[in-house]
Amino acid sequence: MKLSELANTLELELHGDPSVRVDKIQPISRATKNDLSFIVSARYKKDLIQSSAAAVIVPPSLAEFASGNYLISTNPYASYAKASWLLSPETLPAPGIAESAFIDASAKVDPSTSIGAQASIGANAFIDADVVIGENCVVGANARIGRGSRLFANVTVYHDCILGAQCRVQSGAVIGAEGFGYAFDNVSGDGWQAIHQTGRVVVGNKVHIGANTTIDRGAIDDTVISDGVILDNQIQIAHNVQIGENTAIAGCVGIAGSTKIGANCQIGGACNIVGHLTIVDGVILNATSYVSQSINESGRYGSGMPLQSNTEWKRSFVVLSKLTDLLKRVRALERSKQS
Amino acid sequence: MKLSELANTLELELHGDPSVRVDKIQPISRATKNDLSFIVSARYKKDLIQSSAAAVIVPPSLAEFASGNYLISTNPYASYAKASWLLSPETLPAPGIAESAFIDASAKVDPSTSIGAQASIGANAFIDADVVIGENCVVGANARIGRGSRLFANVTVYHDCILGAQCRVQSGAVIGAEGFGYAFDNVSGDGWQAIHQTGRVVVGNKVHIGANTTIDRGAIDDTVISDGVILDNQIQIAHNVQIGENTAIAGCVGIAGSTKIGANCQIGGACNIVGHLTIVDGVILNATSYVSQSINESGRYGSGMPLQSNTEWKRSFVVLSKLTDLLKRVRALERSKQS
Amino acid sequence: MKLSELANTLELELHGDPSVRVDKIQPISRATKNDLSFIVSARYKKDLIQSSAAAVIVPPSLAEFASGNYLISTNPYASYAKASWLLSPETLPAPGIAESAFIDASAKVDPSTSIGAQASIGANAFIDADVVIGENCVVGANARIGRGSRLFANVTVYHDCILGAQCRVQSGAVIGAEGFGYAFDNVSGDGWQAIHQTGRVVVGNKVHIGANTTIDRGAIDDTVISDGVILDNQIQIAHNVQIGENTAIAGCVGIAGSTKIGANCQIGGACNIVGHLTIVDGVILNATSYVSQSINESGRYGSGMPLQSNTEWKRSFVVLSKLTDLLKRVRALERSKQS
C-alpha cells in the first residue's frame, strides 16, 4: 500500500514521500524499510529519531523528531488500529452455506452470509446480510444476528437472543444460557426450584465478545449489552445485567445478577462485582477489584492485595486474621496515652 | 391459565376470583391486569397494596394487605419458581434423531429422546427416556445420560461419565476432562508426566450445570456431584472433588482437587477453595472467599477485600505490604507503655 | 501385567516375586492383592508396612519397610504416573476420517490420524502423523497440529496457529482467538477500534491444555507456550504472553497481555497476573496471588486473604477500609512517646 493511500484513508497529514510503500506494521524499535510504525508518547522519542521505518504515525507534539516519512495523528494508537486492518485485511470466507451446515427450513438467511461447516441455525432465526457464522456454531430458534457480524467457530447463541450489527464473537462464547435463578423449596423437600428464565440477551451494535465468555439470558426482563461494549475472554455476565455503551471489560471478570454498569467504564481483569448494584458512568476498576457496594461517583477504584514473599505473606496472613485485635490494641494505647 | 388452575397445581389457597386469567409473571412494581406477581417480604408491602396485578402470591403474614386476588404461600419465591414453568412452558424439540447427528451403532438411545443437529453419541453410550441432547453436543463412549435430562447445545460429556435423571446442562460445559494430575520427572528429564485419569465424573439427579463450567474426571476414584446440586457458569471443579446434596455454587468458583464439600452449602461467586480440604454441611461463603483450610463448623464465612478509591487503595496497598512492621510498632508501643 | 514386565519398562529395581500380576493402581490404604500402589514419603510408612498390595513402588529410604513385593524408585510419584498408562492404556479411536467430518480439499491430513465426527479441518491445515482430533473440533486454515497430539472433542484452533508434537488439549479449549487490543477513538466518536491481531499462537511440544482454557493470538508477534508447559482448566492467556518450558499453571489463572513467564514456574489456582510484566524462572505462586509487578527473583510468593467467620470478616472489612488511618494513629502514638 502506498503511503499516500494510507494517509488518505486514515485522513492523516502526510510528510515525506507519498509513493513509499508500507507492507506491515512493526513496533518502533524494530520497524525497517517496508514497515509502518507509530508512537504514542515522548517515551519513545529516541526510537523515533533512530527509526528506519518506511513511515511513522506520530502525535503533533512529536512531529519535529521524525526524521523520515511520517503521518500526523491526534490519536496515533487509534490510527494504528485502523491501519492494522488496511495493511492486513481480514480473510473472510466466501458467501454461501456449507453443505454440512443445518439450516432450519423456517430460518431466514441472507444470501450474502457465510455459514460454516457443521453450523446449525434454528427455527425462525434471522441471519442478516454479510454475516459470517463459523464452523460448529449453534444459533437457536428465533435468534437474530445483525448485519456484518462475525461469529467465530463454536459459538452458541440461545433461542430468542439478539445480536446487533458489526458484532464480533470469539469461539466458545455462550450467549443466552439460563440465568442462575433458584428458590429453595423448604416446604416440599423438592430442593432447588429453577425459575424459568424467559428473558433474552439483547446485544447492541459493534459489540465484541471474547472466547468462552458467557452472558446469561434474563429471568423476566432482558440482559442488555449496549452498543460499542468490548468484552474480553472468560467473562461471566449473569442474568439481567445491563452494561452501558462503550464500556470495556477485561478477561475473567464476573458480574452477578441484575447489576447495572454505566457507559464508558473500564473494568480490569478478574474483577468481581456482586449482584443488584449500580455502577455509574466512567468508573475505572483496577484488576482484581471486588465490588460489593454500588459506585456512585466516576473515578478509579481498586482492592487488590500486594504480593509478598511466601515467608512475609504467611506473617501478613496472621496479622490479617487478627486485624480487629490490632485495632483494639491501638485504641488501648490511645486511651492509656490520654489518661 | 385460570387462577384456579394455577392454585390447584401449586397447592395454594386462593382468595378472590378463581376465573381470572394470568398470562405471564411480572415484578410487583410493574404487574398489570393479566400478570401474576409475588412478594417475599414486607419490604414490598406498599407495592402490594397498590398493585393492579391479576393475582399476587403472598406469604401468610402479608395476606391482609392484598387488595385484589391472591394466593397464599409459605414460600412465595418457590411458588413463583414453579409458576414460571406453568405460565411459560419450556419449548422442547420433538423426539427424534437429527439427520446430521452421529450415533454410534452400539449406543442405546431411547426412542423418546431428541438428539440435535451435528450431535455425536459414542460407542455403548446410553441415552435414557425423554432426554434432550442439543446441537453439536458430544457424548463419549460408555457415558450415560439419565431420564429427562437436557443438554443444551455444545455440551461435552467425556467417555464413561454418568449424569443422573432430570439434570440440566448449559452450553459449553465440559464434564469429564482429564484432571490436572502430574508428577515431575526430575530423574529422566522428561518433565511433567501426566497421571492417566481413569476415574469418572458421576453426577446425581436434578443437578444443574452452568455454561462453560468444567468438572474433571477423577484420577483413580470418581469426581462426585450429588443430587440436587446447582452450579452456575464458569465453575471449575477439579478431579476427585465431592459435592454434597443441594449445595449451590455461584459463578466463577474454583475448587481444587480432592476437596469434599458438604450438603446444603452455598458458595458465593468467585470463591476459590484449595485442594484436599473438607468443608462441612451448611457452610455459606461470601463472594470471593479464599478457603485455604478445612471448615469444620457450619456458618457464614468471608475474606473479600473492600473497594477503595485508587488513591486510598494505593496507600492501603503500602500498609498491607508492611503489616508485620505495623504489628511490631504496636508491640513496641505496648512494651514502652509497660516499662 | 507381570511385575517383571512393569519393572523393566519403568527401569526400576524389583524385589520379590517377578511373576506376580498387577491389574490396576490403588492408593496404599486400599490396595489389595492385584493392585499396584506407591508411597512418596515416610508419612505413609505405616500403610506400607500393613499393605496387602501386589506390589508397591517405594523410595530407596523406605525400602526396608516394604513387607511384600516392591519396586525401588528415586521418584515414586513419577513412576506411578508412568505406570498409570501401562496398566490402563489409553483407548484411542482407530485411524481414519469420520464420514461426517469436513476436511478442506487443500488440507494435508496424515493417513495415520483419526478425525472425529463433525470435526472441521480448514484450508491448508496440516495434521501430522498419529494425531487424534475429537468430535466437533474446528482446526482453522493454515493451522498445524504436530505428531501424536490429541485434541478432545469441541476444541477450537484458529487459523495459522501451531501446536507441536505430543500435545494434549481438553474440550472447550480455544487457541488463537483474537487478543483484546483496542484503541479508543476519541476524535471520530467511533468508539473502540479493534487492532487486527495478526500474530499466532505457537505451542511447543508436550504441552497440555485444559478444558475451556483460552490462549489468544498475538497482536503483531506471536503468543508462545514453550515445550512441556502444563495448563489446567479455564486459564486465560492474553495476547503476546510468553511462557517458558515446563511451567505448570493451575486452574482459573488469568495472565494479561505481553507478560513473560519464565521456565519451571508453578502458578497456583486463580492467580492473576497483570500485563507487560516479567516473571523469572522458578517462581512459585500460591493460589489466588495477585501479581502487579515483575518478579525478579525465583522463590515462593503469595497474596491471598485469610478466611474468617462472617462476623469477624465484617469487622476486618471495616479495618481494611481504614488501614491508612490505623497507620496514622500508630505514628501519632510513636510521636507522642518520643516527645
Side-chain angles (χ1 to χ4, degrees), chain A residues 204-247:
Chain A
N205 300 321
K206 292 189 182 179
V207 171
H208 287 205
I209 298 174
N212 284 351
T213 281
T214 51
I215 307 173
D216 278 353
R217 65 195 311 111
I220 294 176
D221 296 326
D222 296 326
T223 303
V224 178
I225 313 294
S226 304
D227 291 352
V229 166
I230 53 173
L231 304 173
D232 196 358
N233 296 353
Q234 300 208 30
I235 292 167
Q236 151 65 357
I237 297 177
H239 55 179
N240 298 105
V241 165
Q242 296 178 24
I243 300 180
E245 287 186 17
N246 290 325
T247 281

Short mmCIF file of all heavy atoms in Angstrom, two decimals, chain A residues 204-247:
data_model
loop_
_atom_site.label_atom_id
_atom_site.label_comp_id
_atom_site.label_asym_id
_atom_site.label_seq_id
_atom_site.Cartn_x
_atom_site.Cartn_y
_atom_site.Cartn_z
N GLY A 204 -26.18 -4.99 21.56
CA GLY A 204 -26.25 -3.86 20.62
C GLY A 204 -25.33 -4.03 19.42
O GLY A 204 -24.89 -5.14 19.09
N ASN A 205 -25.03 -2.92 18.79
CA ASN A 205 -24.15 -2.91 17.62
C ASN A 205 -22.69 -2.75 18.04
O ASN A 205 -22.39 -2.18 19.09
CB ASN A 205 -24.51 -1.74 16.70
CG ASN A 205 -25.94 -1.83 16.22
OD1 ASN A 205 -26.45 -2.91 15.90
ND2 ASN A 205 -26.63 -0.69 16.16
N LYS A 206 -21.79 -3.25 17.20
CA LYS A 206 -20.34 -3.08 17.42
C LYS A 206 -19.90 -3.60 18.78
O LYS A 206 -19.02 -3.02 19.43
CB LYS A 206 -19.95 -1.61 17.30
CG LYS A 206 -20.07 -1.04 15.90
CD LYS A 206 -19.46 0.35 15.87
CE LYS A 206 -19.58 1.00 14.50
NZ LYS A 206 -19.00 2.34 14.50
N VAL A 207 -20.53 -4.66 19.23
CA VAL A 207 -20.13 -5.28 20.50
C VAL A 207 -19.18 -6.43 20.18
O VAL A 207 -19.44 -7.23 19.28
CB VAL A 207 -21.36 -5.80 21.27
CG1 VAL A 207 -20.94 -6.64 22.47
CG2 VAL A 207 -22.23 -4.62 21.71
N HIS A 208 -18.07 -6.50 20.91
CA HIS A 208 -17.11 -7.60 20.73
C HIS A 208 -17.16 -8.47 21.98
O HIS A 208 -17.12 -7.96 23.11
CB HIS A 208 -15.70 -7.05 20.51
CG HIS A 208 -15.51 -6.44 19.16
ND1 HIS A 208 -14.30 -6.34 18.54
CD2 HIS A 208 -16.41 -5.91 18.29
CE1 HIS A 208 -14.44 -5.77 17.35
NE2 HIS A 208 -15.71 -5.48 17.18
N ILE A 209 -17.22 -9.77 21.76
CA ILE A 209 -17.37 -10.72 22.87
C ILE A 209 -16.26 -11.76 22.77
O ILE A 209 -16.09 -12.39 21.72
CB ILE A 209 -18.76 -11.39 22.81
CG1 ILE A 209 -19.85 -10.31 22.97
CG2 ILE A 209 -18.89 -12.48 23.87
CD1 ILE A 209 -21.27 -10.81 22.77
N GLY A 210 -15.51 -11.95 23.86
CA GLY A 210 -14.32 -12.79 23.84
C GLY A 210 -14.60 -14.28 23.96
O GLY A 210 -15.72 -14.71 24.25
N ALA A 211 -13.55 -15.04 23.79
CA ALA A 211 -13.63 -16.50 23.82
C ALA A 211 -14.10 -17.00 25.18
O ALA A 211 -13.64 -16.55 26.23
CB ALA A 211 -12.26 -17.09 23.48
N ASN A 212 -15.03 -17.94 25.15
CA ASN A 212 -15.55 -18.58 26.36
C ASN A 212 -16.19 -17.61 27.35
O ASN A 212 -16.36 -17.94 28.53
CB ASN A 212 -14.47 -19.43 27.05
CG ASN A 212 -14.23 -20.73 26.31
OD1 ASN A 212 -14.98 -21.08 25.40
ND2 ASN A 212 -13.20 -21.47 26.67
N THR A 213 -16.54 -16.44 26.89
CA THR A 213 -17.34 -15.52 27.70
C THR A 213 -18.79 -16.00 27.70
O THR A 213 -19.28 -16.50 26.69
CB THR A 213 -17.19 -14.08 27.18
OG1 THR A 213 -15.94 -13.58 27.66
CG2 THR A 213 -18.31 -13.15 27.62
N THR A 214 -19.46 -15.85 28.84
CA THR A 214 -20.85 -16.29 28.96
C THR A 214 -21.74 -15.11 29.36
O THR A 214 -21.40 -14.36 30.28
CB THR A 214 -20.99 -17.41 30.01
OG1 THR A 214 -20.36 -16.98 31.23
CG2 THR A 214 -20.30 -18.68 29.56
N ILE A 215 -22.85 -14.97 28.69
CA ILE A 215 -23.82 -13.92 29.02
C ILE A 215 -25.18 -14.59 29.16
O ILE A 215 -25.73 -15.10 28.18
CB ILE A 215 -23.90 -12.84 27.92
CG1 ILE A 215 -22.49 -12.29 27.59
CG2 ILE A 215 -24.84 -11.71 28.32
CD1 ILE A 215 -22.46 -11.35 26.39
N ASP A 216 -25.70 -14.61 30.37
CA ASP A 216 -26.96 -15.32 30.62
C ASP A 216 -28.18 -14.52 30.21
O ASP A 216 -28.20 -13.29 30.35
CB ASP A 216 -27.08 -15.66 32.11
CG ASP A 216 -26.30 -16.91 32.47
OD1 ASP A 216 -25.78 -17.60 31.57
OD2 ASP A 216 -26.22 -17.21 33.68
N ARG A 217 -29.21 -15.21 29.78
CA ARG A 217 -30.48 -14.59 29.46
C ARG A 217 -31.15 -14.10 30.75
O ARG A 217 -30.89 -14.62 31.84
CB ARG A 217 -31.39 -15.55 28.71
CG ARG A 217 -31.81 -16.74 29.51
CD ARG A 217 -32.42 -17.88 28.66
NE ARG A 217 -33.42 -17.45 27.75
CZ ARG A 217 -33.27 -17.44 26.41
NH1 ARG A 217 -32.15 -17.88 25.88
NH2 ARG A 217 -34.23 -17.02 25.63
N GLY A 218 -32.03 -13.13 30.64
CA GLY A 218 -32.71 -12.59 31.80
C GLY A 218 -33.79 -13.52 32.34
O GLY A 218 -34.25 -14.44 31.65
N ALA A 219 -34.18 -13.27 33.59
CA ALA A 219 -35.23 -14.07 34.22
C ALA A 219 -36.60 -13.68 33.66
O ALA A 219 -37.33 -14.50 33.12
CB ALA A 219 -35.20 -13.88 35.74
N ILE A 220 -36.93 -12.42 33.81
CA ILE A 220 -38.18 -11.89 33.24
C ILE A 220 -37.82 -10.85 32.18
O ILE A 220 -38.20 -10.95 31.04
CB ILE A 220 -39.07 -11.26 34.35
CG1 ILE A 220 -39.54 -12.35 35.33
CG2 ILE A 220 -40.25 -10.53 33.73
CD1 ILE A 220 -40.34 -11.84 36.51
N ASP A 221 -37.02 -9.86 32.58
CA ASP A 221 -36.54 -8.85 31.64
C ASP A 221 -35.31 -9.39 30.89
O ASP A 221 -34.90 -10.53 31.11
CB ASP A 221 -36.17 -7.58 32.40
CG ASP A 221 -37.40 -6.96 33.06
OD1 ASP A 221 -38.49 -7.06 32.47
OD2 ASP A 221 -37.25 -6.40 34.15
N ASP A 222 -34.73 -8.57 30.05
CA ASP A 222 -33.58 -8.99 29.26
C ASP A 222 -32.27 -8.62 29.94
O ASP A 222 -32.20 -7.67 30.73
CB ASP A 222 -33.62 -8.29 27.88
CG ASP A 222 -34.83 -8.70 27.06
OD1 ASP A 222 -35.27 -9.87 27.17
OD2 ASP A 222 -35.34 -7.84 26.31
N THR A 223 -31.24 -9.33 29.60
CA THR A 223 -29.87 -8.91 29.86
C THR A 223 -29.47 -8.03 28.69
O THR A 223 -29.72 -8.41 27.54
CB THR A 223 -28.96 -10.15 29.95
OG1 THR A 223 -29.46 -11.01 30.96
CG2 THR A 223 -27.53 -9.76 30.24
N VAL A 224 -28.86 -6.88 28.98
CA VAL A 224 -28.63 -5.90 27.91
C VAL A 224 -27.15 -5.49 27.83
O VAL A 224 -26.58 -5.02 28.82
CB VAL A 224 -29.50 -4.63 28.12
CG1 VAL A 224 -29.22 -3.60 27.03
CG2 VAL A 224 -30.98 -5.00 28.13
N ILE A 225 -26.58 -5.66 26.67
CA ILE A 225 -25.21 -5.21 26.41
C ILE A 225 -25.31 -4.13 25.34
O ILE A 225 -25.71 -4.40 24.21
CB ILE A 225 -24.33 -6.38 25.88
CG1 ILE A 225 -24.50 -7.66 26.72
CG2 ILE A 225 -22.86 -5.94 25.78
CD1 ILE A 225 -24.01 -7.58 28.13
N SER A 226 -24.94 -2.90 25.72
CA SER A 226 -25.18 -1.75 24.83
C SER A 226 -24.15 -1.64 23.72
O SER A 226 -23.11 -2.31 23.73
CB SER A 226 -25.19 -0.46 25.64
OG SER A 226 -26.15 -0.54 26.67
N ASP A 227 -24.43 -0.77 22.79
CA ASP A 227 -23.56 -0.54 21.63
C ASP A 227 -22.12 -0.25 22.06
O ASP A 227 -21.87 0.48 23.02
CB ASP A 227 -24.04 0.70 20.85
CG ASP A 227 -25.37 0.47 20.15
OD1 ASP A 227 -25.87 -0.67 20.14
OD2 ASP A 227 -25.91 1.46 19.62
N GLY A 228 -21.20 -0.81 21.31
CA GLY A 228 -19.80 -0.45 21.47
C GLY A 228 -19.10 -1.07 22.66
O GLY A 228 -17.94 -0.76 22.93
N VAL A 229 -19.79 -1.95 23.39
CA VAL A 229 -19.15 -2.62 24.54
C VAL A 229 -18.12 -3.63 24.02
O VAL A 229 -18.36 -4.32 23.03
CB VAL A 229 -20.20 -3.33 25.41
CG1 VAL A 229 -19.56 -4.29 26.40
CG2 VAL A 229 -21.05 -2.29 26.15
N ILE A 230 -16.96 -3.69 24.69
CA ILE A 230 -15.98 -4.72 24.33
C ILE A 230 -15.70 -5.60 25.55
O ILE A 230 -15.42 -5.12 26.64
CB ILE A 230 -14.67 -4.12 23.75
CG1 ILE A 230 -14.06 -3.06 24.67
CG2 ILE A 230 -14.92 -3.51 22.37
CD1 ILE A 230 -12.68 -2.57 24.19
N LEU A 231 -15.82 -6.90 25.32
CA LEU A 231 -15.68 -7.90 26.39
C LEU A 231 -14.56 -8.85 26.01
O LEU A 231 -14.56 -9.44 24.94
CB LEU A 231 -16.97 -8.71 26.53
CG LEU A 231 -18.26 -7.93 26.80
CD1 LEU A 231 -19.46 -8.88 26.74
CD2 LEU A 231 -18.20 -7.24 28.15
N ASP A 232 -13.63 -9.03 26.91
CA ASP A 232 -12.51 -9.95 26.72
C ASP A 232 -12.97 -11.40 26.99
O ASP A 232 -14.16 -11.68 27.10
CB ASP A 232 -11.39 -9.51 27.68
CG ASP A 232 -10.03 -10.10 27.36
OD1 ASP A 232 -9.90 -10.89 26.41
OD2 ASP A 232 -9.08 -9.77 28.09
N ASN A 233 -12.04 -12.31 27.12
CA ASN A 233 -12.33 -13.74 27.30
C ASN A 233 -12.79 -14.08 28.72
O ASN A 233 -12.41 -13.42 29.68
CB ASN A 233 -11.07 -14.56 27.04
CG ASN A 233 -10.57 -14.47 25.62
OD1 ASN A 233 -11.22 -13.89 24.77
ND2 ASN A 233 -9.41 -15.04 25.36
N GLN A 234 -13.55 -15.16 28.80
CA GLN A 234 -13.89 -15.79 30.09
C GLN A 234 -14.53 -14.84 31.08
O GLN A 234 -14.31 -14.94 32.30
CB GLN A 234 -12.64 -16.46 30.70
CG GLN A 234 -12.07 -17.52 29.78
CD GLN A 234 -11.34 -18.63 30.51
OE1 GLN A 234 -11.66 -18.94 31.63
NE2 GLN A 234 -10.36 -19.22 29.86
N ILE A 235 -15.33 -13.94 30.56
CA ILE A 235 -16.13 -13.06 31.42
C ILE A 235 -17.47 -13.75 31.66
O ILE A 235 -18.02 -14.38 30.78
CB ILE A 235 -16.33 -11.69 30.72
CG1 ILE A 235 -14.99 -10.95 30.64
CG2 ILE A 235 -17.39 -10.86 31.41
CD1 ILE A 235 -14.99 -9.77 29.71
N GLN A 236 -17.97 -13.62 32.88
CA GLN A 236 -19.29 -14.17 33.21
C GLN A 236 -20.23 -13.02 33.51
O GLN A 236 -20.00 -12.24 34.45
CB GLN A 236 -19.15 -15.13 34.39
CG GLN A 236 -20.37 -15.26 35.29
CD GLN A 236 -21.60 -15.87 34.60
OE1 GLN A 236 -21.57 -16.17 33.40
NE2 GLN A 236 -22.67 -16.05 35.31
N ILE A 237 -21.26 -12.90 32.74
CA ILE A 237 -22.27 -11.85 32.94
C ILE A 237 -23.59 -12.54 33.26
O ILE A 237 -24.15 -13.25 32.42
CB ILE A 237 -22.38 -10.95 31.69
CG1 ILE A 237 -21.03 -10.24 31.46
CG2 ILE A 237 -23.52 -9.95 31.83
CD1 ILE A 237 -20.97 -9.38 30.23
N ALA A 238 -24.08 -12.31 34.46
CA ALA A 238 -25.26 -13.03 34.94
C ALA A 238 -26.55 -12.41 34.39
O ALA A 238 -26.53 -11.38 33.73
CB ALA A 238 -25.27 -13.05 36.46
N HIS A 239 -27.65 -13.03 34.71
CA HIS A 239 -28.94 -12.60 34.16
C HIS A 239 -29.32 -11.19 34.63
O HIS A 239 -29.05 -10.80 35.75
CB HIS A 239 -30.06 -13.59 34.46
CG HIS A 239 -30.26 -13.94 35.90
ND1 HIS A 239 -31.25 -14.81 36.29
CD2 HIS A 239 -29.61 -13.57 37.02
CE1 HIS A 239 -31.19 -14.95 37.59
NE2 HIS A 239 -30.22 -14.22 38.06
N ASN A 240 -29.93 -10.47 33.69
CA ASN A 240 -30.47 -9.14 33.95
C ASN A 240 -29.42 -8.06 34.19
O ASN A 240 -29.77 -6.95 34.59
CB ASN A 240 -31.47 -9.18 35.13
CG ASN A 240 -32.66 -10.06 34.81
OD1 ASN A 240 -32.76 -11.17 35.31
ND2 ASN A 240 -33.51 -9.61 33.91
N VAL A 241 -28.18 -8.38 33.96
CA VAL A 241 -27.16 -7.34 34.00
C VAL A 241 -27.39 -6.38 32.83
O VAL A 241 -27.87 -6.78 31.77
CB VAL A 241 -25.75 -7.97 33.93
CG1 VAL A 241 -24.67 -6.94 33.60
CG2 VAL A 241 -25.42 -8.67 35.26
N GLN A 242 -27.07 -5.11 33.04
CA GLN A 242 -27.11 -4.12 31.97
C GLN A 242 -25.75 -3.43 31.91
O GLN A 242 -25.24 -3.00 32.94
CB GLN A 242 -28.20 -3.07 32.21
CG GLN A 242 -29.60 -3.67 32.22
CD GLN A 242 -30.67 -2.62 32.51
OE1 GLN A 242 -30.45 -1.43 32.27
NE2 GLN A 242 -31.80 -3.05 33.02
N ILE A 243 -25.20 -3.34 30.72
CA ILE A 243 -23.90 -2.70 30.56
C ILE A 243 -24.02 -1.57 29.55
O ILE A 243 -24.52 -1.77 28.44
CB ILE A 243 -22.84 -3.73 30.11
CG1 ILE A 243 -22.72 -4.83 31.18
CG2 ILE A 243 -21.48 -3.06 29.87
CD1 ILE A 243 -21.73 -5.90 30.86
N GLY A 244 -23.54 -0.38 29.96
CA GLY A 244 -23.72 0.82 29.15
C GLY A 244 -22.73 0.92 27.99
O GLY A 244 -21.73 0.20 27.95
N GLU A 245 -22.98 1.85 27.12
CA GLU A 245 -22.23 2.00 25.87
C GLU A 245 -20.73 2.18 26.08
O GLU A 245 -20.30 2.91 26.98
CB GLU A 245 -22.74 3.21 25.09
CG GLU A 245 -24.09 2.94 24.47
CD GLU A 245 -24.55 4.09 23.56
OE1 GLU A 245 -23.71 4.91 23.17
OE2 GLU A 245 -25.76 4.12 23.27
N ASN A 246 -19.97 1.51 25.22
CA ASN A 246 -18.51 1.68 25.14
C ASN A 246 -17.77 1.27 26.41
O ASN A 246 -16.60 1.62 26.58
CB ASN A 246 -18.15 3.13 24.79
CG ASN A 246 -18.52 3.45 23.36
OD1 ASN A 246 -18.43 2.60 22.48
ND2 ASN A 246 -18.98 4.66 23.12
N THR A 247 -18.43 0.57 27.29
CA THR A 247 -17.72 0.04 28.45
C THR A 247 -16.83 -1.12 28.01
O THR A 247 -17.22 -1.94 27.17
CB THR A 247 -18.72 -0.37 29.55
OG1 THR A 247 -19.13 0.83 30.21
CG2 THR A 247 -18.12 -1.32 30.56
#
